[in-house]
C-alpha cells in the first residue's frame, strides 16, 4: 500500500484579539512598532502587552500521522481540541502555521453540507455551483445531474430559487451533490 496522506510536524496558531485597526494610519503605526520590536502604540493604556505577548492559541501542535490508501481515519476529541482545524487544513481551506502535508489523490471535503449555496440561484444552478466548489468539473456535473436531482428527491422544485426551500431541502440538495463526488480522499466533518 502507498501513503494517501502524510502529515509532519503540523501546527496551527491563532492570535486572539482585534483584527485590523480603525484606520490605515493606525495599521501602519502598529506594523512599524512590530517590526522594531516595540509595544503597539495603538493599544489602550490598560492593554500594554506588546505584540509578542499577545494571546496565542495553539489549535494544533506538532501533529504527525500517515493514512495508507484504503484506510479510514476517525478523529475524536473534546470541543476545541482542533479536529475541525485539522480537517480544514487537510482540505486546504486554511493553511498551517508550520509543518508539511503530502497528499496523493483528489481531495473532496464535506465540512458543512450546503456550504457555498446561493439563495438567489435555483436548485439546478446551485448544483453546478456547489459541485464546482467541491472540486467537480462542469462535464462531470452535467453527466451526473439527473442522478443528483433524483437522489435529492427535488425534481419538482429544482428550478425554484433555494431561498424558497426549507432548511431540510437545502441540506438534501447539498448532500446529494456531495454523494456523487468521486474523490480518492473524502474528508467529512460533522455531516
Amino acid at each position: 500500500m502507498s501513503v494517501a496522506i502524510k502529515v509532519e510536524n503540523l501546527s496551527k496558531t491563532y492570535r486572539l484579539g482585534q483584527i485590523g485597526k480603525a484606520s490605515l494610519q493606525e495599521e501602519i503605526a502598529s506594523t512599524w512598532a512590530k517590526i522594531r520590536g516595540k509595544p503597539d502604540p495603538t493599544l489602550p493604556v490598560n492593554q500594554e502587552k506588546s505584540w509578542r505577548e499577545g494571546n496565542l492559541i495553539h489549535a494544533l501542535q506538532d501533529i504527525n500521522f500517515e493514512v495508507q490508501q484504503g484506510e479510514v481515519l476517525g478523529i475524536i476529541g473534546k470541543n476545541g481540541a482542533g479536529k475541525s482545524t485539522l480537517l480544514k487544513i487537510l482540505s486546504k481551506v486554511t493553511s498551517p502555521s508550520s509543518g508539511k502535508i503530502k497528499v496523493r489523490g483528489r481531495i473532496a471535503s464535506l465540512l458543512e453540507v450546503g456550504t457555498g449555496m446561493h439563495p438567489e440561484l435555483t436548485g439546478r444552478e446551485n448544483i453546478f455551483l456547489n459541485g464546482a466548489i467541491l472540486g467537480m468539473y462542469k462535464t462531470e456535473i452535467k453527466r451526473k445531474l439527473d442522478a443528483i436531482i433524483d437522489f435529492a428527491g427535488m425534481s419538482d422544485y429544482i428550478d425554484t430559487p433555494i431561498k424558497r426551500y426549507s432548511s431540510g431541502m437545502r441540506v438534501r440538495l447539498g448532500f446529494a451533490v456531495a454523494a456523487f463526488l468521486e474523490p480518492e480522499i473524502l474528508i467529512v466533518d460533522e455531516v
Side-chain angles (χ1 to χ4, degrees):
M1 270 193 198
S2 64
V3 176
I5 301 173
K6 184 172 184 173
V7 174
E8 297 174 333
N9 300 318
L10 186 73
S11 295
K12 180 66 176 180
T13 304
Y14 293 102
R15 181 178 305 281
L16 296 182
Q18 183 178 359
I19 298 173
K21 303 292 180 187
S23 69
L24 179 61
Q25 183 179 2
E26 285 183 357
E27 192 69 53
I28 291 169
S30 178
T31 302
W32 182 243
K34 286 178 189 177
I35 291 169
R36 296 182 344 210
K38 303 279 184 175
D40 187 341
T42 64
L43 287 176
V45 176
N46 61 350
Q47 293 182 354
E48 291 183 3
K49 286 184 179 180
S50 76
W51 67 276
R52 294 176 200 261
E53 300 166 2
N55 296 327
L56 297 178
I57 298 295
H58 300 286
L60 301 171
Q61 227 172 350
D62 296 323
I63 305 293
N64 295 288
F65 65 89
E66 286 184 2
V67 180
Q68 302 293 323
Q69 285 183 335
E71 283 186 333
V72 175
L73 172 68
I75 301 169
I76 301 169
K78 297 178 185 177
N79 289 340
K83 303 176 298 292
S84 294
T85 300
L86 175 60
L87 297 179
K88 286 178 183 175
I89 291 171
L90 291 173
S91 301
K92 298 182 180 171
V93 171
T94 189
S95 59
S97 299
S98 64
K100 293 181 183 178
I101 300 171
K102 296 177 184 173
V103 177
R104 172 177 275 157
R106 180 177 169 190
I107 293 181
S109 58
L110 295 175
L111 301 179
E112 294 179 35
V113 174
T115 297
M117 291 210 176
H118 193 286
E120 298 296 327
L121 300 178
T122 67
R124 184 181 312 274
E125 293 165 334
N126 270 290
I127 288 172
F128 282 94
L129 176 62
N130 203 356
I133 288 170
L134 292 173
M136 296 171 75
Y137 297 105
K138 188 175 182 179
T139 55
E140 185 180 1
I141 298 167
K142 281 182 179 178
R143 189 176 70 247
K144 298 175 180 180
L145 184 62
D146 291 335
I148 292 170
I149 294 168
D150 288 343
F151 185 78
M154 306 292 290
S155 58
D156 293 343
Y157 311 103
I158 201 64
D159 293 312
T160 302
I162 67 163
K163 66 182 177 183
R164 293 186 172 65
Y165 287 14
S166 68
S167 59
M169 291 168 75
R170 280 190 211 114
V171 170
R172 267 195 352 244
L173 187 63
F175 186 78
V177 174
F180 285 88
L181 285 170
E182 294 176 6
E184 285 86 13
I185 300 168
L186 180 62
I187 296 174
V188 181
D189 186 19
E190 297 183 14
V191 177

